[in-house]
mmCIF file with all atom_site columns, all heavy atoms in Angstrom:
data_model
loop_
_atom_site.group_PDB
_atom_site.id
_atom_site.type_symbol
_atom_site.label_atom_id
_atom_site.label_alt_id
_atom_site.label_comp_id
_atom_site.label_asym_id
_atom_site.label_entity_id
_atom_site.label_seq_id
_atom_site.pdbx_PDB_ins_code
_atom_site.Cartn_x
_atom_site.Cartn_y
_atom_site.Cartn_z
_atom_site.occupancy
_atom_site.B_iso_or_equiv
_atom_site.pdbx_formal_charge
_atom_site.auth_seq_id
_atom_site.auth_comp_id
_atom_site.auth_asym_id
_atom_site.auth_atom_id
_atom_site.pdbx_PDB_model_num
ATOM 1   N N   . VAL A 1 233 ? 93.983  49.546 59.562 1.00 0.00 ? 233 VAL A N   1
ATOM 2   C CA  . VAL A 1 233 ? 93.852  48.267 58.861 1.00 0.00 ? 233 VAL A CA  1
ATOM 3   C C   . VAL A 1 233 ? 94.981  47.294 59.195 1.00 0.00 ? 233 VAL A C   1
ATOM 4   O O   . VAL A 1 233 ? 94.934  46.131 58.795 1.00 0.00 ? 233 VAL A O   1
ATOM 5   C CB  . VAL A 1 233 ? 93.802  48.470 57.329 1.00 0.00 ? 233 VAL A CB  1
ATOM 6   C CG1 . VAL A 1 233 ? 92.569  49.256 56.933 1.00 0.00 ? 233 VAL A CG1 1
ATOM 7   C CG2 . VAL A 1 233 ? 95.065  49.148 56.826 1.00 0.00 ? 233 VAL A CG2 1
ATOM 8   N N   . LYS A 1 234 ? 96.008  47.730 59.913 1.00 0.00 ? 234 LYS A N   1
ATOM 9   C CA  . LYS A 1 234 ? 97.147  46.854 60.199 1.00 0.00 ? 234 LYS A CA  1
ATOM 10  C C   . LYS A 1 234 ? 96.741  45.622 61.000 1.00 0.00 ? 234 LYS A C   1
ATOM 11  O O   . LYS A 1 234 ? 97.311  44.542 60.834 1.00 0.00 ? 234 LYS A O   1
ATOM 12  C CB  . LYS A 1 234 ? 98.224  47.618 60.967 1.00 0.00 ? 234 LYS A CB  1
ATOM 13  C CG  . LYS A 1 234 ? 99.034  48.582 60.115 1.00 0.00 ? 234 LYS A CG  1
ATOM 14  C CD  . LYS A 1 234 ? 100.138 49.221 60.940 1.00 0.00 ? 234 LYS A CD  1
ATOM 15  C CE  . LYS A 1 234 ? 100.996 50.133 60.096 1.00 0.00 ? 234 LYS A CE  1
ATOM 16  N NZ  . LYS A 1 234 ? 102.079 50.783 60.885 1.00 0.00 ? 234 LYS A NZ  1
ATOM 17  N N   . ALA A 1 235 ? 95.745  45.787 61.873 1.00 0.00 ? 235 ALA A N   1
ATOM 18  C CA  . ALA A 1 235 ? 95.349  44.673 62.741 1.00 0.00 ? 235 ALA A CA  1
ATOM 19  C C   . ALA A 1 235 ? 94.742  43.519 61.968 1.00 0.00 ? 235 ALA A C   1
ATOM 20  O O   . ALA A 1 235 ? 94.587  42.426 62.502 1.00 0.00 ? 235 ALA A O   1
ATOM 21  C CB  . ALA A 1 235 ? 94.359  45.167 63.800 1.00 0.00 ? 235 ALA A CB  1
ATOM 22  N N   . ASP A 1 236 ? 94.400  43.730 60.695 1.00 0.00 ? 236 ASP A N   1
ATOM 23  C CA  . ASP A 1 236 ? 93.791  42.665 59.899 1.00 0.00 ? 236 ASP A CA  1
ATOM 24  C C   . ASP A 1 236 ? 94.799  41.608 59.473 1.00 0.00 ? 236 ASP A C   1
ATOM 25  O O   . ASP A 1 236 ? 94.423  40.527 59.031 1.00 0.00 ? 236 ASP A O   1
ATOM 26  C CB  . ASP A 1 236 ? 93.128  43.258 58.647 1.00 0.00 ? 236 ASP A CB  1
ATOM 27  C CG  . ASP A 1 236 ? 91.996  44.208 59.004 1.00 0.00 ? 236 ASP A CG  1
ATOM 28  O OD1 . ASP A 1 236 ? 91.478  44.093 60.123 1.00 0.00 ? 236 ASP A OD1 1
ATOM 29  O OD2 . ASP A 1 236 ? 91.645  45.056 58.166 1.00 0.00 ? 236 ASP A OD2 1
ATOM 30  N N   . ARG A 1 237 ? 96.090  41.920 59.535 1.00 0.00 ? 237 ARG A N   1
ATOM 31  C CA  . ARG A 1 237 ? 97.101  40.978 59.067 1.00 0.00 ? 237 ARG A CA  1
ATOM 32  C C   . ARG A 1 237 ? 97.235  39.801 60.027 1.00 0.00 ? 237 ARG A C   1
ATOM 33  O O   . ARG A 1 237 ? 97.218  39.964 61.244 1.00 0.00 ? 237 ARG A O   1
ATOM 34  C CB  . ARG A 1 237 ? 98.463  41.676 58.935 1.00 0.00 ? 237 ARG A CB  1
ATOM 35  C CG  . ARG A 1 237 ? 98.490  42.800 57.901 1.00 0.00 ? 237 ARG A CG  1
ATOM 36  C CD  . ARG A 1 237 ? 99.841  43.508 57.937 1.00 0.00 ? 237 ARG A CD  1
ATOM 37  N NE  . ARG A 1 237 ? 99.876  44.631 57.015 1.00 0.00 ? 237 ARG A NE  1
ATOM 38  C CZ  . ARG A 1 237 ? 100.857 45.524 56.984 1.00 0.00 ? 237 ARG A CZ  1
ATOM 39  N NH1 . ARG A 1 237 ? 101.871 45.436 57.833 1.00 0.00 ? 237 ARG A NH1 1
ATOM 40  N NH2 . ARG A 1 237 ? 100.822 46.516 56.121 1.00 0.00 ? 237 ARG A NH2 1
ATOM 41  N N   . ASN A 1 238 ? 97.378  38.604 59.485 1.00 0.00 ? 238 ASN A N   1
ATOM 42  C CA  . ASN A 1 238 ? 97.617  37.407 60.293 1.00 0.00 ? 238 ASN A CA  1
ATOM 43  C C   . ASN A 1 238 ? 99.120  37.265 60.486 1.00 0.00 ? 238 ASN A C   1
ATOM 44  O O   . ASN A 1 238 ? 99.850  36.902 59.561 1.00 0.00 ? 238 ASN A O   1
ATOM 45  C CB  . ASN A 1 238 ? 97.048  36.183 59.576 1.00 0.00 ? 238 ASN A CB  1
ATOM 46  C CG  . ASN A 1 238 ? 97.183  34.921 60.407 1.00 0.00 ? 238 ASN A CG  1
ATOM 47  O OD1 . ASN A 1 238 ? 98.089  34.783 61.231 1.00 0.00 ? 238 ASN A OD1 1
ATOM 48  N ND2 . ASN A 1 238 ? 96.286  33.972 60.192 1.00 0.00 ? 238 ASN A ND2 1
ATOM 49  N N   . LEU A 1 239 ? 99.590  37.546 61.685 1.00 0.00 ? 239 LEU A N   1
ATOM 50  C CA  . LEU A 1 239 ? 101.014 37.425 61.991 1.00 0.00 ? 239 LEU A CA  1
ATOM 51  C C   . LEU A 1 239 ? 101.292 36.236 62.901 1.00 0.00 ? 239 LEU A C   1
ATOM 52  O O   . LEU A 1 239 ? 102.386 36.111 63.448 1.00 0.00 ? 239 LEU A O   1
ATOM 53  C CB  . LEU A 1 239 ? 101.523 38.714 62.646 1.00 0.00 ? 239 LEU A CB  1
ATOM 54  C CG  . LEU A 1 239 ? 101.459 39.973 61.772 1.00 0.00 ? 239 LEU A CG  1
ATOM 55  C CD1 . LEU A 1 239 ? 101.940 41.192 62.555 1.00 0.00 ? 239 LEU A CD1 1
ATOM 56  C CD2 . LEU A 1 239 ? 102.272 39.801 60.499 1.00 0.00 ? 239 LEU A CD2 1
ATOM 57  N N   . ASP A 1 240 ? 100.290 35.358 63.056 1.00 0.00 ? 240 ASP A N   1
ATOM 58  C CA  . ASP A 1 240 ? 100.438 34.212 63.957 1.00 0.00 ? 240 ASP A CA  1
ATOM 59  C C   . ASP A 1 240 ? 100.860 32.938 63.235 1.00 0.00 ? 240 ASP A C   1
ATOM 60  O O   . ASP A 1 240 ? 101.641 32.143 63.779 1.00 0.00 ? 240 ASP A O   1
ATOM 61  C CB  . ASP A 1 240 ? 99.121  33.953 64.698 1.00 0.00 ? 240 ASP A CB  1
ATOM 62  C CG  . ASP A 1 240 ? 98.705  35.122 65.565 1.00 0.00 ? 240 ASP A CG  1
ATOM 63  O OD1 . ASP A 1 240 ? 99.604  35.753 66.153 1.00 0.00 ? 240 ASP A OD1 1
ATOM 64  O OD2 . ASP A 1 240 ? 97.500  35.404 65.648 1.00 0.00 ? 240 ASP A OD2 1
ATOM 65  N N   . ASP A 1 241 ? 100.333 32.719 62.027 1.00 0.00 ? 241 ASP A N   1
ATOM 66  C CA  . ASP A 1 241 ? 100.537 31.440 61.339 1.00 0.00 ? 241 ASP A CA  1
ATOM 67  C C   . ASP A 1 241 ? 101.470 31.627 60.155 1.00 0.00 ? 241 ASP A C   1
ATOM 68  O O   . ASP A 1 241 ? 101.093 32.234 59.145 1.00 0.00 ? 241 ASP A O   1
ATOM 69  C CB  . ASP A 1 241 ? 99.191  30.884 60.857 1.00 0.00 ? 241 ASP A CB  1
ATOM 70  C CG  . ASP A 1 241 ? 98.172  30.798 61.982 1.00 0.00 ? 241 ASP A CG  1
ATOM 71  O OD1 . ASP A 1 241 ? 98.555  30.314 63.061 1.00 0.00 ? 241 ASP A OD1 1
ATOM 72  O OD2 . ASP A 1 241 ? 97.023  31.214 61.782 1.00 0.00 ? 241 ASP A OD2 1
ATOM 73  N N   . LEU A 1 242 ? 102.682 31.105 60.264 1.00 0.00 ? 242 LEU A N   1
ATOM 74  C CA  . LEU A 1 242 ? 103.678 31.281 59.205 1.00 0.00 ? 242 LEU A CA  1
ATOM 75  C C   . LEU A 1 242 ? 103.251 30.573 57.924 1.00 0.00 ? 242 LEU A C   1
ATOM 76  O O   . LEU A 1 242 ? 102.913 29.392 57.931 1.00 0.00 ? 242 LEU A O   1
ATOM 77  C CB  . LEU A 1 242 ? 105.033 30.725 59.667 1.00 0.00 ? 242 LEU A CB  1
ATOM 78  C CG  . LEU A 1 242 ? 106.152 30.785 58.624 1.00 0.00 ? 242 LEU A CG  1
ATOM 79  C CD1 . LEU A 1 242 ? 106.494 32.237 58.288 1.00 0.00 ? 242 LEU A CD1 1
ATOM 80  C CD2 . LEU A 1 242 ? 107.383 30.041 59.108 1.00 0.00 ? 242 LEU A CD2 1
ATOM 81  N N   . ARG A 1 243 ? 103.264 31.318 56.815 1.00 0.00 ? 243 ARG A N   1
ATOM 82  C CA  . ARG A 1 243 ? 102.994 30.755 55.491 1.00 0.00 ? 243 ARG A CA  1
ATOM 83  C C   . ARG A 1 243 ? 103.949 31.413 54.496 1.00 0.00 ? 243 ARG A C   1
ATOM 84  O O   . ARG A 1 243 ? 103.929 32.631 54.323 1.00 0.00 ? 243 ARG A O   1
ATOM 85  C CB  . ARG A 1 243 ? 101.553 31.018 55.050 1.00 0.00 ? 243 ARG A CB  1
ATOM 86  C CG  . ARG A 1 243 ? 100.479 30.449 55.972 1.00 0.00 ? 243 ARG A CG  1
ATOM 87  C CD  . ARG A 1 243 ? 100.391 28.938 55.887 1.00 0.00 ? 243 ARG A CD  1
ATOM 88  N NE  . ARG A 1 243 ? 99.246  28.428 56.608 1.00 0.00 ? 243 ARG A NE  1
ATOM 89  C CZ  . ARG A 1 243 ? 99.260  28.088 57.898 1.00 0.00 ? 243 ARG A CZ  1
ATOM 90  N NH1 . ARG A 1 243 ? 100.375 28.219 58.600 1.00 0.00 ? 243 ARG A NH1 1
ATOM 91  N NH2 . ARG A 1 243 ? 98.175  27.616 58.474 1.00 0.00 ? 243 ARG A NH2 1
ATOM 92  N N   . LEU A 1 244 ? 104.786 30.617 53.842 1.00 0.00 ? 244 LEU A N   1
ATOM 93  C CA  . LEU A 1 244 ? 105.681 31.110 52.797 1.00 0.00 ? 244 LEU A CA  1
ATOM 94  C C   . LEU A 1 244 ? 105.533 30.246 51.560 1.00 0.00 ? 244 LEU A C   1
ATOM 95  O O   . LEU A 1 244 ? 106.136 29.173 51.460 1.00 0.00 ? 244 LEU A O   1
ATOM 96  C CB  . LEU A 1 244 ? 107.144 31.101 53.272 1.00 0.00 ? 244 LEU A CB  1
ATOM 97  C CG  . LEU A 1 244 ? 108.165 31.564 52.225 1.00 0.00 ? 244 LEU A CG  1
ATOM 98  C CD1 . LEU A 1 244 ? 107.919 33.014 51.825 1.00 0.00 ? 244 LEU A CD1 1
ATOM 99  C CD2 . LEU A 1 244 ? 109.594 31.396 52.744 1.00 0.00 ? 244 LEU A CD2 1
ATOM 100 N N   . PRO A 1 245 ? 104.730 30.678 50.568 1.00 0.00 ? 245 PRO A N   1
ATOM 101 C CA  . PRO A 1 245 ? 104.663 29.952 49.294 1.00 0.00 ? 245 PRO A CA  1
ATOM 102 C C   . PRO A 1 245 ? 105.995 30.108 48.556 1.00 0.00 ? 245 PRO A C   1
ATOM 103 O O   . PRO A 1 245 ? 106.509 31.223 48.408 1.00 0.00 ? 245 PRO A O   1
ATOM 104 C CB  . PRO A 1 245 ? 103.524 30.653 48.541 1.00 0.00 ? 245 PRO A CB  1
ATOM 105 C CG  . PRO A 1 245 ? 102.771 31.420 49.592 1.00 0.00 ? 245 PRO A CG  1
ATOM 106 C CD  . PRO A 1 245 ? 103.774 31.794 50.627 1.00 0.00 ? 245 PRO A CD  1
ATOM 107 N N   . ILE A 1 246 ? 106.553 28.999 48.086 1.00 0.00 ? 246 ILE A N   1
ATOM 108 C CA  . ILE A 1 246 ? 107.868 29.034 47.435 1.00 0.00 ? 246 ILE A CA  1
ATOM 109 C C   . ILE A 1 246 ? 107.705 29.445 45.980 1.00 0.00 ? 246 ILE A C   1
ATOM 110 O O   . ILE A 1 246 ? 107.073 28.746 45.180 1.00 0.00 ? 246 ILE A O   1
ATOM 111 C CB  . ILE A 1 246 ? 108.570 27.671 47.541 1.00 0.00 ? 246 ILE A CB  1
ATOM 112 C CG1 . ILE A 1 246 ? 108.692 27.264 49.007 1.00 0.00 ? 246 ILE A CG1 1
ATOM 113 C CG2 . ILE A 1 246 ? 109.939 27.734 46.880 1.00 0.00 ? 246 ILE A CG2 1
ATOM 114 C CD1 . ILE A 1 246 ? 109.412 28.260 49.886 1.00 0.00 ? 246 ILE A CD1 1
ATOM 115 N N   . GLN A 1 247 ? 108.293 30.593 45.646 1.00 0.00 ? 247 GLN A N   1
ATOM 116 C CA  . GLN A 1 247 ? 108.247 31.100 44.280 1.00 0.00 ? 247 GLN A CA  1
ATOM 117 C C   . GLN A 1 247 ? 109.356 30.505 43.420 1.00 0.00 ? 247 GLN A C   1
ATOM 118 O O   . GLN A 1 247 ? 109.151 30.121 42.273 1.00 0.00 ? 247 GLN A O   1
ATOM 119 C CB  . GLN A 1 247 ? 108.373 32.630 44.295 1.00 0.00 ? 247 GLN A CB  1
ATOM 120 C CG  . GLN A 1 247 ? 108.352 33.285 42.928 1.00 0.00 ? 247 GLN A CG  1
ATOM 121 C CD  . GLN A 1 247 ? 106.986 33.228 42.281 1.00 0.00 ? 247 GLN A CD  1
ATOM 122 O OE1 . GLN A 1 247 ? 105.974 33.237 42.983 1.00 0.00 ? 247 GLN A OE1 1
ATOM 123 N NE2 . GLN A 1 247 ? 106.936 33.153 40.963 1.00 0.00 ? 247 GLN A NE2 1
ATOM 124 N N   . THR A 1 248 ? 110.540 30.403 43.995 1.00 0.00 ? 248 THR A N   1
ATOM 125 C CA  . THR A 1 248 ? 111.679 29.842 43.243 1.00 0.00 ? 248 THR A CA  1
ATOM 126 C C   . THR A 1 248 ? 112.737 29.341 44.212 1.00 0.00 ? 248 THR A C   1
ATOM 127 O O   . THR A 1 248 ? 112.783 29.781 45.373 1.00 0.00 ? 248 THR A O   1
ATOM 128 C CB  . THR A 1 248 ? 112.290 30.903 42.300 1.00 0.00 ? 248 THR A CB  1
ATOM 129 O OG1 . THR A 1 248 ? 113.291 30.304 41.485 1.00 0.00 ? 248 THR A OG1 1
ATOM 130 C CG2 . THR A 1 248 ? 112.939 32.037 43.084 1.00 0.00 ? 248 THR A CG2 1
ATOM 131 N N   . VAL A 1 249 ? 113.573 28.432 43.733 1.00 0.00 ? 249 VAL A N   1
ATOM 132 C CA  . VAL A 1 249 ? 114.709 27.930 44.508 1.00 0.00 ? 249 VAL A CA  1
ATOM 133 C C   . VAL A 1 249 ? 115.955 28.659 44.013 1.00 0.00 ? 249 VAL A C   1
ATOM 134 O O   . VAL A 1 249 ? 116.268 28.634 42.813 1.00 0.00 ? 249 VAL A O   1
ATOM 135 C CB  . VAL A 1 249 ? 114.872 26.407 44.353 1.00 0.00 ? 249 VAL A CB  1
ATOM 136 C CG1 . VAL A 1 249 ? 116.096 25.922 45.134 1.00 0.00 ? 249 VAL A CG1 1
ATOM 137 C CG2 . VAL A 1 249 ? 113.620 25.691 44.828 1.00 0.00 ? 249 VAL A CG2 1
ATOM 138 N N   . VAL A 1 250 ? 116.636 29.334 44.929 1.00 0.00 ? 250 VAL A N   1
ATOM 139 C CA  . VAL A 1 250 ? 117.828 30.113 44.588 1.00 0.00 ? 250 VAL A CA  1
ATOM 140 C C   . VAL A 1 250 ? 119.056 29.219 44.780 1.00 0.00 ? 250 VAL A C   1
ATOM 141 O O   . VAL A 1 250 ? 119.335 28.774 45.900 1.00 0.00 ? 250 VAL A O   1
ATOM 142 C CB  . VAL A 1 250 ? 117.931 31.380 45.455 1.00 0.00 ? 250 VAL A CB  1
ATOM 143 C CG1 . VAL A 1 250 ? 119.169 32.188 45.082 1.00 0.00 ? 250 VAL A CG1 1
ATOM 144 C CG2 . VAL A 1 250 ? 116.673 32.219 45.314 1.00 0.00 ? 250 VAL A CG2 1
ATOM 145 N N   . ARG A 1 251 ? 119.775 28.956 43.683 1.00 0.00 ? 251 ARG A N   1
ATOM 146 C CA  . ARG A 1 251 ? 120.916 28.034 43.739 1.00 0.00 ? 251 ARG A CA  1
ATOM 147 C C   . ARG A 1 251 ? 122.089 28.615 42.950 1.00 0.00 ? 251 ARG A C   1
ATOM 148 O O   . ARG A 1 251 ? 122.447 28.147 41.866 1.00 0.00 ? 251 ARG A O   1
ATOM 149 C CB  . ARG A 1 251 ? 120.489 26.683 43.151 1.00 0.00 ? 251 ARG A CB  1
ATOM 150 C CG  . ARG A 1 251 ? 121.501 25.566 43.294 1.00 0.00 ? 251 ARG A CG  1
ATOM 151 C CD  . ARG A 1 251 ? 121.558 25.014 44.687 1.00 0.00 ? 251 ARG A CD  1
ATOM 152 N NE  . ARG A 1 251 ? 122.310 23.767 44.741 1.00 0.00 ? 251 ARG A NE  1
ATOM 153 C CZ  . ARG A 1 251 ? 122.648 23.146 45.863 1.00 0.00 ? 251 ARG A CZ  1
ATOM 154 N NH1 . ARG A 1 251 ? 122.274 23.646 47.026 1.00 0.00 ? 251 ARG A NH1 1
ATOM 155 N NH2 . ARG A 1 251 ? 123.336 22.019 45.831 1.00 0.00 ? 251 ARG A NH2 1
ATOM 156 N N   . PRO A 1 252 ? 122.728 29.704 43.448 1.00 0.00 ? 252 PRO A N   1
ATOM 157 C CA  . PRO A 1 252 ? 123.832 30.311 42.703 1.00 0.00 ? 252 PRO A CA  1
ATOM 158 C C   . PRO A 1 252 ? 125.101 29.452 42.688 1.00 0.00 ? 252 PRO A C   1
ATOM 159 O O   . PRO A 1 252 ? 125.925 29.569 41.785 1.00 0.00 ? 252 PRO A O   1
ATOM 160 C CB  . PRO A 1 252 ? 124.068 31.624 43.438 1.00 0.00 ? 252 PRO A CB  1
ATOM 161 C CG  . PRO A 1 252 ? 123.608 31.356 44.841 1.00 0.00 ? 252 PRO A CG  1
ATOM 162 C CD  . PRO A 1 252 ? 122.449 30.424 44.707 1.00 0.00 ? 252 PRO A CD  1
ATOM 163 N N   . SER A 1 253 ? 125.248 28.596 43.698 1.00 0.00 ? 253 SER A N   1
ATOM 164 C CA  . SER A 1 253 ? 126.405 27.699 43.763 1.00 0.00 ? 253 SER A CA  1
ATOM 165 C C   . SER A 1 253 ? 126.038 26.494 44.610 1.00 0.00 ? 253 SER A C   1
ATOM 166 O O   . SER A 1 253 ? 124.971 26.456 45.235 1.00 0.00 ? 253 SER A O   1
ATOM 167 C CB  . SER A 1 253 ? 127.617 28.418 44.366 1.00 0.00 ? 253 SER A CB  1
ATOM 168 O OG  . SER A 1 253 ? 127.405 28.681 45.749 1.00 0.00 ? 253 SER A OG  1
ATOM 169 N N   . HIS A 1 254 ? 126.945 25.526 44.638 1.00 0.00 ? 254 HIS A N   1
ATOM 170 C CA  . HIS A 1 254 ? 126.654 24.321 45.418 1.00 0.00 ? 254 HIS A CA  1
ATOM 171 C C   . HIS A 1 254 ? 126.683 24.588 46.918 1.00 0.00 ? 254 HIS A C   1
ATOM 172 O O   . HIS A 1 254 ? 126.280 23.742 47.719 1.00 0.00 ? 254 HIS A O   1
ATOM 173 C CB  . HIS A 1 254 ? 127.670 23.226 45.066 1.00 0.00 ? 254 HIS A CB  1
ATOM 174 C CG  . HIS A 1 254 ? 129.063 23.519 45.560 1.00 0.00 ? 254 HIS A CG  1
ATOM 175 N ND1 . HIS A 1 254 ? 129.925 24.373 44.886 1.00 0.00 ? 254 HIS A ND1 1
ATOM 176 C CD2 . HIS A 1 254 ? 129.735 23.090 46.671 1.00 0.00 ? 254 HIS A CD2 1
ATOM 177 C CE1 . HIS A 1 254 ? 131.072 24.441 45.561 1.00 0.00 ? 254 HIS A CE1 1
ATOM 178 N NE2 . HIS A 1 254 ? 130.977 23.675 46.648 1.00 0.00 ? 254 HIS A NE2 1
ATOM 179 N N   . GLU A 1 255 ? 127.168 25.780 47.314 1.00 0.00 ? 255 GLU A N   1
ATOM 180 C CA  . GLU A 1 255 ? 127.265 26.106 48.736 1.00 0.00 ? 255 GLU A CA  1
ATOM 181 C C   . GLU A 1 255 ? 126.015 26.800 49.277 1.00 0.00 ? 255 GLU A C   1
ATOM 182 O O   . GLU A 1 255 ? 125.908 27.015 50.489 1.00 0.00 ? 255 GLU A O   1
ATOM 183 C CB  . GLU A 1 255 ? 128.482 27.010 48.979 1.00 0.00 ? 255 GLU A CB  1
ATOM 184 C CG  . GLU A 1 255 ? 129.811 26.338 48.636 1.00 0.00 ? 255 GLU A CG  1
ATOM 185 C CD  . GLU A 1 255 ? 130.987 27.275 48.850 1.00 0.00 ? 255 GLU A CD  1
ATOM 186 O OE1 . GLU A 1 255 ? 130.732 28.493 49.005 1.00 0.00 ? 255 GLU A OE1 1
ATOM 187 O OE2 . GLU A 1 255 ? 132.126 26.804 48.856 1.00 0.00 ? 255 GLU A OE2 1
ATOM 188 N N   . PHE A 1 256 ? 125.104 27.187 48.384 1.00 0.00 ? 256 PHE A N   1
ATOM 189 C CA  . PHE A 1 256 ? 123.921 27.932 48.848 1.00 0.00 ? 256 PHE A CA  1
ATOM 190 C C   . PHE A 1 256 ? 122.673 27.388 48.177 1.00 0.00 ? 256 PHE A C   1
ATOM 191 O O   . PHE A 1 256 ? 122.627 27.219 46.955 1.00 0.00 ? 256 PHE A O   1
ATOM 192 C CB  . PHE A 1 256 ? 124.071 29.427 48.523 1.00 0.00 ? 256 PHE A CB  1
ATOM 193 C CG  . PHE A 1 256 ? 122.937 30.275 49.053 1.00 0.00 ? 256 PHE A CG  1
ATOM 194 C CD1 . PHE A 1 256 ? 123.024 30.864 50.306 1.00 0.00 ? 256 PHE A CD1 1
ATOM 195 C CD2 . PHE A 1 256 ? 121.788 30.487 48.298 1.00 0.00 ? 256 PHE A CD2 1
ATOM 196 C CE1 . PHE A 1 256 ? 121.983 31.650 50.794 1.00 0.00 ? 256 PHE A CE1 1
ATOM 197 C CE2 . PHE A 1 256 ? 120.746 31.261 48.783 1.00 0.00 ? 256 PHE A CE2 1
ATOM 198 C CZ  . PHE A 1 256 ? 120.848 31.839 50.039 1.00 0.00 ? 256 PHE A CZ  1
ATOM 199 N N   . ARG A 1 257 ? 121.652 27.156 49.000 1.00 0.00 ? 257 ARG A N   1
ATOM 200 C CA  . ARG A 1 257 ? 120.355 26.726 48.490 1.00 0.00 ? 257 ARG A CA  1
ATOM 201 C C   . ARG A 1 257 ? 119.276 27.428 49.319 1.00 0.00 ? 257 ARG A C   1
ATOM 202 O O   . ARG A 1 257 ? 119.078 27.107 50.486 1.00 0.00 ? 257 ARG A O   1
ATOM 203 C CB  . ARG A 1 257 ? 120.206 25.217 48.590 1.00 0.00 ? 257 ARG A CB  1
ATOM 204 C CG  . ARG A 1 257 ? 118.903 24.661 47.987 1.00 0.00 ? 257 ARG A CG  1
ATOM 205 C CD  . ARG A 1 257 ? 119.029 23.150 47.828 1.00 0.00 ? 257 ARG A CD  1
ATOM 206 N NE  . ARG A 1 257 ? 117.794 22.555 47.351 1.00 0.00 ? 257 ARG A NE  1
ATOM 207 C CZ  . ARG A 1 257 ? 116.941 21.873 48.102 1.00 0.00 ? 257 ARG A CZ  1
ATOM 208 N NH1 . ARG A 1 257 ? 117.192 21.721 49.400 1.00 0.00 ? 257 ARG A NH1 1
ATOM 209 N NH2 . ARG A 1 257 ? 115.861 21.352 47.578 1.00 0.00 ? 257 ARG A NH2 1
ATOM 210 N N   . GLY A 1 258 ? 118.649 28.411 48.693 1.00 0.00 ? 258 GLY A N   1
ATOM 211 C CA  . GLY A 1 258 ? 117.637 29.184 49.400 1.00 0.00 ? 258 GLY A CA  1
ATOM 212 C C   . GLY A 1 258 ? 116.288 29.071 48.731 1.00 0.00 ? 258 GLY A C   1
ATOM 213 O O   . GLY A 1 258 ? 116.169 28.701 47.556 1.00 0.00 ? 258 GLY A O   1
#
Side-chain angles (χ1 to χ4, degrees):
V233 296
K234 285 184 177 179
D236 297 339
R237 297 175 183 170
N238 184 332
L239 296 178
D240 298 323
D241 307 314
L242 177 65
R243 301 288 189 271
L244 178 63
I246 303 303
Q247 179 71 31
T248 186
V249 178
V250 181
R251 187 76 168 172
S253 69
H254 70 280
E255 297 178 346
F256 184 92
R257 184 166 176 256

